Amino acid sequence: MNSRVKSECTPHGPEIMEPAAMKEQLKRRAAAVERWLATCLDGREMPPRLRESMLYSLQAGGKRLRPVLCLTCAALCGLEEERVMPFAGAIEMIHTYSLIHDDLPAMDDDDLRRGKPSNHKAFDEATAILAGDGLLTDAFACMCRARIPAGPLLAAIAELAGAAGSSGMVGGQEWDMIHTARPSVSLEELQTMHAMKTGALLRASCVCGALLAGADSAVVDTIGEYGSALGMAFQIADDILDVTADTAVLGKPAGSDAAQGKNTYPSMVGLATSRELAQAQAARARAALAALVGPEAAFLRALADYTVSRAC
């Protein structure tokens, strides 16, 4: 393991971070991400309406989970937050582009996102498409501003590109459209689709933090296992919330999955089993980090519990 990552268990097992402390750390790191996002387009020449559209979605709020995961996993491996921030913020730019495109009439056709009109409703479809394109492309330029040696930086960029592209998030969105309203989808197919569409970017957010810090392969694999389980838990929880929460809580139309004929965990195995599956994935995420000690590892374990507690 990377010498900067402690791996010895404490005599009484891994440290426990209380939910309130975890939420405070999540809030603090998310606020730092927000400050970076507010200036990430500064100095770029572009049509004013395009800038407005990009910032409209980029600054629409949210917990900033993906950049926080990148910052935390980098800190777990001994790398300072300020050196990682351009890369972590770029992950949020990529995530935001995907939300803009997912909401388009050709995709999920959602009118609300985070309690506000979707980008194509606030502007128009063409501008929304271009805003997503701009965020995706500009994100890679932002990554290159991270003060990281070329080797680790290139490894992290390659990891993120793979997770965001046709073998990851984009491919998962295509499977989502293929599977929608198709009655013969298996649970294995659903899990594969979600691992690509949602899980790949969450996992890469964790792995990229470790790669940027120069962690060795054992640490990267451990963090990758955590990220994979967290991504699965996150998606199952989201599927549950689409059934159980209202529009005000979700920030998007409640019940939209069922209305669109999407295959989800509740529709396939029911709410009770879905909650059991979410809890099992959270336990898997915690177990992946069982040998790591320190406040960052404790935060990640607490975050896995929080991910499913909102729905279970």
Side-chain angles (χ1 to χ4, degrees):
M1 284 191 173
N2 188 320
S3 60
R4 291 173 293 183
V5 182
K6 296 180 181 179
S7 60
E8 301 84 4
C9 292
T10 63
H12 304 290
E15 303 97 321
I16 295 174
M17 178 176 282
E18 294 299 324
M22 182 278 300
K23 290 178 183 179
E24 181 58 33
Q25 183 165 328
L26 177 62
K27 182 179 178 181
R28 181 187 67 77
R29 282 210 164 119
V33 173
E34 293 286 358
R35 291 191 293 271
W36 185 88
L37 292 174
T39 62
C40 68
L41 300 183
D42 289 359
R44 295 186 178 278
E45 296 295 329
M46 66 180 79
R49 183 173 172 82
L50 178 60
R51 180 187 299 273
E52 183 183 358
S53 177
M54 293 167 71
L55 289 174
Y56 174 83
S57 292
L58 195 60
Q59 297 180 313
K63 291 184 173 59
R64 309 306 190 188
L65 178 60
R66 290 153 189 83
V68 168
L69 284 169
C70 183
L71 292 169
T72 302
C73 290
L76 177 65
C77 299
L79 188 59
E80 300 87 351
E81 181 176 293
E82 60 270 18
R83 294 180 60 191
V84 187
M85 185 60 77
F87 197 103
I91 297 175
E92 188 68 14
M93 294 170 73
I94 292 173
H95 175 56
T96 301
Y97 120 77
S98 75
L99 299 181
I100 294 173
H101 283 192
D102 280 359
D103 289 340
L104 289 168
M107 298 285 189
D108 291 349
D109 196 17
D110 280 330
D111 293 344
L112 288 176
R113 172 65 68 178
R114 290 173 174 163
K116 299 169 57 178
S118 300
N119 196 289
H120 68 276
K121 288 294 184 180
F123 296 87
D124 55 67
E125 287 185 43
T127 301
I129 292 169
L130 292 171
D133 293 345
L135 286 168
L136 171 62
T137 310
D138 289 351
F140 285 91
C142 289
M143 289 177 218
C144 295
R145 299 209 301 259
R147 295 187 295 109
I148 305 293
L153 181 59
L154 286 173
I157 290 173
E159 181 74 26
L160 187 58
S166 56
S167 297
M169 183 174 62
V170 172
Q173 176 65 16
E174 174 68 8
W175 279 124
D176 190 16
M177 293 189 295
I178 291 169
H179 292 334
T180 296
R182 179 183 155 213
S184 59
V185 176
S186 68
L187 184 59
E188 183 179 0
E189 288 175 317
L190 181 71
Q191 290 170 333
T192 298
M193 182 267 286
H194 283 321
M196 295 171 68
K197 182 181 177 181
T198 303
L201 194 60
L202 282 165
R203 179 186 181 277
S205 298
C206 299
V207 168
C208 286
L211 290 173
L212 291 168
D216 66 26
S217 60
V219 174
V220 172
D221 289 346
T222 293
I223 289 174
E225 176 69 14
Y226 168 85
S228 294
L230 183 73
M232 189 68 73
F234 182 92
Q235 182 59 60
I236 299 171
D238 258 17
D239 282 1
I240 294 169
L241 287 170
D242 191 74
V243 175
T244 61
D246 59 24
T247 298
V249 171
L250 292 174
K252 60 181 181 180
S256 61
D257 288 344
Q260 295 170 23
K262 288 184 178 291
N263 290 284
T264 65
Y265 286 91
S267 72
M268 295 185 72
V269 301
L271 278 172
T273 300
S274 295
R275 289 187 171 111
E276 291 174 2
L277 291 171
Q279 294 284 7
Q281 290 300 326
R284 178 184 152 213
R286 292 195 308 272
L289 301 182
L292 301 182
V293 300
E296 305 297 352
F299 170 81
L300 291 171
R301 286 190 289 268
L303 184 62
D305 287 332
Y306 171 69
T307 295
V308 298
S309 69
R310 61 200 178 106
C312 301

